[in-house]
Amino acid sequence: MQTGIIGLPQVGKTTLFRILTKAQLDEKATRAATHVGVARVPEPRLAQLAELYHPKKITYATVEYVDVGGVNRDRARDSACSLHCAKWMR
């Protein structure tokens, strides 16, 4: 699953991204940057099912988060930014 975190500047998008993905980002270098991170989704019932069926491999679910830098009016008018943001929103 892939999901994007978008919104206005300074509302906590990157903070939420860091909490969900446990990523270590430099705050000064992250302004208006796009980040991609993956988080594992823990599922305790999966271990019980594995004990029952003895699969060769256990694959946990993951969620890919995309943190798109804050979009303000000036940046939204920039066609390059609009294309960049649209690419991640698809």
Side-chain angles (χ1 to χ4, degrees):
M1 175 188 292
Q2 185 179 32
T3 185
I5 303 170
I6 60 172
L8 296 172
Q10 301 295 316
V11 295
K13 295 176 302 300
T14 302
T15 302
L16 178 62
F17 175 82
R18 287 188 299 171
I19 291 168
L20 293 171
T21 62
K22 297 180 175 86
Q24 301 295 324
L25 302 173
D26 181 21
E27 290 185 28
K28 292 180 183 176
T30 61
R31 294 191 184 262
T34 300
H35 305 100
V36 178
V38 177
R40 286 182 55 188
V41 179
E43 177 55 65
R45 296 175 292 180
L46 190 58
Q48 295 170 351
L49 290 172
E51 289 177 17
L52 275 172
Y53 296 105
H54 306 291
K56 293 178 185 177
K57 180 181 171 185
I58 299 173
T59 304
Y60 293 91
T62 60
V63 177
E64 182 177 339
Y65 292 101
V66 180
D67 174 25
V68 180
V71 179
N72 57 26
R73 290 183 185 191
D74 295 334
R75 191 169 173 211
R77 290 183 189 136
D78 181 18
S79 61
C81 173
S82 298
L83 292 174
H84 179 71
C85 293
K87 174 184 146 191
W88 287 109
M89 288 185 219
R90 287 186 184 170

